[in-house]
Amino acid sequence: MGKAANPAVRNVITVQDLDELKSERITPETDLPPMQPLFSINGVPCFYRGELAADCGKAKSGKTTFLSILMAATIKQQTLAVKRLTDEPLRLLWIDTEQSQQSTQEILKERIMPLAGVEQLDDTQFYAYNLRGAGFEKRGRMVDVAIRSINPDICIIDGVKDLMTDINDAVQATLIMEKLMELAKDMNCCIVCVLHQNKSEQDRNMRGSIGTELTNKAFEVFQCSVLGESEIFKVEQTYSRKQKIKQNFYYTINKKGLPEGCANYHEQPRDSQGRWMSTKDETAADEEVDLHKLFVVAMEGRGQRRFSELMAVAMKRFCVADAQTYYDYIKKAEADGILRKLVHPETGDTWVELLENQLPF
């Protein structure tokens, strides 16, 4: 057997080591450039140069739509709640690893360009690449080449999990995050990583080891979600190392397939288990529930329905969290002449009918 390596040799500190360490020292007098946010949402700065940002959410929760709004704002200074903070348009690099080439092109032509108000994209400012068909090693290499050669102000990687073979490989996750942090610092750009959350409704953590690393390393995290069956999408900044965006950003999709801001939308909060909580005492006077619409929708085309069935549907479709709030809605709807309650003469079951309809007994 050969001799064991001498520990003293391995632990020799060179002058080069000391110089490298010294170059990384930070003091109150260190001359550093100010942090540069590229955008603001609802007036609060976000998406900083030299940093990583995360965009997460469940499947079909509006992650790419939110980023389309962001990408449009690199061209048109104000796009819904997102405002570009630079006078000149930003250079954008969008790397799509999840969708087909046709889908990427469709988003460019049918969403980003209309939102930005342009008939064509400036090919010196806007770079979109689809790497879905490339292997993970090639993807990683091409991401590095693209960022270093294009030198974007902001780079969006949708989705970052496709740069690795196993989403739960902690070593790969660490290496990928270190590489992206290095690129963000070297090229002074913001790199936005898109990643799915876990499938469970109550578990809103980002998936796998890559999600854990991204959560730890990101300067800020944005969470996208769709509110029940309301067709209203929400963008929430769940974490920031600097100034937190306290006002959420809401939008719907209009008839043209484009996101459209929702004014004064009031959302019920969730508890620690992910269940909807009551906002009865917090709802502003100008945000009263449209009871006629609520009960027409909850009837699902029927003129009459059992009280318990109607209650279950109404609470699910309109995110009514507690029974007392529903009972208050019923009481007010009766007083307003929207519906009435009747008791079945044989079974004793309580039924509800919209007025001008007859119960089936």
Side-chain angles (χ1 to χ4, degrees):
M1 295 178 63
K3 290 184 178 180
N6 187 343
V9 174
R10 293 200 307 268
N11 295 329
V12 169
I13 299 175
T14 67
V15 174
Q16 182 181 355
D17 293 332
L18 293 173
D19 288 342
E20 289 180 354
L21 179 61
K22 184 179 179 180
S23 69
E24 301 295 340
R25 186 177 181 183
I26 302 295
T27 71
E29 292 75 32
T30 303
D31 186 16
L32 296 172
M35 298 192 71
Q36 294 180 285
L38 298 177
F39 301 92
S40 68
I41 295 180
N42 291 324
V44 180
C46 53
F47 295 100
Y48 287 78
R49 288 187 183 275
E51 299 288 353
L52 299 184
D55 174 30
C56 66
K58 307 289 186 184
K60 311 302 180 185
S61 62
K63 297 184 294 299
T64 303
T65 303
F66 168 50
L67 293 177
S68 298
I69 297 168
L70 188 71
M71 287 189 273
T74 66
I75 304 168
K76 181 181 179 182
Q77 192 159 29
Q78 180 82 41
T79 310
L80 279 66
V82 180
K83 182 179 181 181
R84 190 183 74 241
L85 297 181
T86 61
D87 293 332
E88 299 297 324
L90 296 171
R91 181 173 294 179
L92 169 77
L93 170 60
W94 175 29
I95 297 173
D96 188 354
T97 68
E98 293 198 337
Q99 303 175 103
S100 67
Q101 293 178 330
Q102 290 83 357
S103 294
T104 301
Q105 186 181 65
E106 185 177 278
I107 291 170
L108 289 173
K109 295 170 63 176
E110 299 184 12
R111 189 184 297 162
I112 296 173
M113 290 169 61
L115 283 172
V118 296
E119 295 185 359
Q120 66 180 40
L121 297 172
D122 184 343
D123 60 9
T124 67
Q125 294 292 126
F126 200 108
Y127 297 81
Y129 296 90
N130 186 294
L131 303 183
R132 182 183 182 183
F136 86 98
E137 290 184 344
K138 184 177 180 180
R139 287 193 198 106
R141 186 169 65 254
M142 294 180 75
V143 166
D144 184 90
V145 169
I147 294 175
R148 293 191 184 279
S149 62
I150 293 170
N151 192 19
D153 298 299
I154 181 169
C155 169
I156 294 171
I157 304 175
D158 185 3
V160 69
K161 73 174 180 62
D162 293 320
L163 302 182
M164 60 194 306
T165 56
D166 182 355
I167 197 171
N168 291 309
D169 188 321
V171 174
Q172 286 190 53
T174 299
L175 292 175
I176 289 170
M177 285 299 105
E178 287 180 350
K179 184 62 178 179
L180 293 179
M181 287 190 295
E182 176 188 347
L183 286 168
K185 179 182 177 181
D186 289 352
M187 307 310 295
N188 195 31
C189 69
C190 177
I191 298 180
V192 184
C193 302
V194 184
L195 188 63
H196 286 268
Q197 292 174 321
N198 290 316
K199 294 181 179 180
S200 168
E201 179 63 24
Q202 285 72 39
D203 187 352
R204 295 180 175 270
N205 294 314
M206 287 187 277
R207 292 180 59 195
S209 295
I210 188 68
T212 300
E213 280 297 302
L214 182 54
T215 300
N216 292 337
K217 299 301 192 296
F219 188 83
E220 53 195 347
V221 177
F222 292 87
Q223 176 180 282
C224 298
S225 57
V226 58
L227 304 180
E229 299 181 25
S230 63
E231 297 183 353
I232 293 175
F233 294 86
K234 179 181 75 169
V235 179
E236 176 185 9
Q237 189 192 61
T238 57
Y239 173 77
S240 173
R241 297 182 189 271
K242 203 167 178 65
Q243 188 175 358
K244 178 78 165 61
I245 302 173
K246 297 181 180 179
Q247 182 182 354
N248 297 331
F249 164 34
Y250 299 92
Y251 66 89
T252 59
I253 304 299
N254 64 24
K255 294 181 179 179
K256 296 181 180 180
L258 296 175
E260 186 175 88
C262 297
N264 300 321
Y265 183 79
H266 183 83
E267 183 203 357
Q268 290 176 301
R270 293 175 181 264
D271 62 18
S272 60
Q273 304 302 315
R275 297 170 300 195
W276 293 106
M277 298 169 60
S278 173
T279 55
K280 176 183 174 183
D281 296 332
E282 300 173 3
T283 305
D286 61 348
E287 295 173 336
E288 290 184 359
V289 174
D290 184 339
L291 293 178
H292 182 267
K293 177 181 177 181
L294 187 156
F295 287 108
V296 168
V297 172
M299 282 289 187
E300 297 183 326
R302 302 171 176 83
Q304 314 87 22
R305 198 157 197 178
R306 283 186 174 85
F307 183 90
S308 58
E309 293 177 353
L310 183 66
M311 179 176 176
V313 174
M315 292 183 73
K316 179 179 179 181
R317 293 290 296 273
F318 288 85
C319 302
V320 179
D322 60 302
Q324 186 57 54
T325 298
Y326 174 76
Y327 297 147
D328 290 344
Y329 287 169
I330 283 282
K331 184 176 180 180
K332 189 172 189 308
E334 286 185 284
D336 292 348
I338 297 171
L339 54 77
R340 64 178 173 178
K341 291 190 297 184
L342 291 175
V343 177
H344 194 290
E346 298 179 0
T347 66
D349 293 339
T350 300
W351 283 67
V352 177
E353 71 166 341
L354 292 174
L355 291 186
E356 299 182 357
N357 288 287
Q358 296 297 316
L359 288 174
F361 50 78

